[in-house]
């Protein structure tokens, strides 16, 4: 997750909140800097998203020395009425894949990309 992320324009299927939550699910002690690079967001944006997720009970953290360890509430129901009854666990099960299942497309070193 080194370097400055490439900017993205246009619409996407996932919200930044879902991306940050998935990054934390992948590594519960990830640094904000690493989450930001992975999600192609600024560190400030990630801080705001984490604050939103904590405020609404989707996420909590404990401080361990200089590191935060995050805990996701997998049973928390998604907010939008169209996803009524779906939980965070069901969303994350769709988004998370083992690193072994990911490939790096040509021309994009270090950026994992899910295979179809």
């Amino acid at each position: 997750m080194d370097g400055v992320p490439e900017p993205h324009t246009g619409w996407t299927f996932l919200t930044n909140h879902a991306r940050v939550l998935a990054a934390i699910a992948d590594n519960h002690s990830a640094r904000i800097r690493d989450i930001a690079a992975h999600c192609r967001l600024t560190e400030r944006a990630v801080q705001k998203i984490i604050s939103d997720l904590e405020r609404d009970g989707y996420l909590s953290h404990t401080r361990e020395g200089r590191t935060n360890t995050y805990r996701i509430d997998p049973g928390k129901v998604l907010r939008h009425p169209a996803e009524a009854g779906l939980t965070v666990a069901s969303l994350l099960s769709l988004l998370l894949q083992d690193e072994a299942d990911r490939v790096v497309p040509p021309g994009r070193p270090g950026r994992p990309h899910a295979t179809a």
Side-chain angles (χ1 to χ4, degrees):
M1 292 188 205
D2 294 337
V4 177
E6 296 174 22
H8 180 272
T9 58
W11 65 275
T12 63
F13 283 101
L14 301 177
T15 67
N16 290 336
H17 284 65
R19 283 189 193 91
V20 168
L21 195 63
I24 290 171
D26 200 38
N27 179 358
H28 289 276
S29 59
R31 298 178 308 167
I32 287 177
R33 172 178 295 155
D34 296 332
I35 296 168
H38 178 75
C39 296
R40 297 172 176 245
L41 299 169
T42 65
E43 290 179 36
R44 181 72 183 123
V46 171
Q47 289 172 335
K48 168 85 170 75
I49 289 168
I50 288 173
S51 175
D52 290 346
L53 293 170
E54 284 187 310
R55 182 188 64 240
D56 291 341
Y58 290 90
L59 185 67
S60 61
H61 78 276
T62 55
R63 189 84 173 152
E64 296 177 7
R66 295 175 56 189
T67 305
N68 285 327
T69 300
Y70 298 98
R71 184 189 163 284
I72 296 170
D73 181 352
K76 188 85 170 161
V77 177
L78 301 180
R79 293 169 42 113
H80 197 280
E83 289 96 34
L86 292 176
T87 63
V88 168
S90 61
L91 171 68
L92 292 175
S93 70
L94 294 172
L95 298 178
L96 295 179
Q97 296 180 17
D98 292 334
E99 285 295 319
D101 291 342
R102 297 181 185 192
V103 297
V104 177
R108 289 211 169 148
R111 182 173 180 259
H113 179 72
T115 57

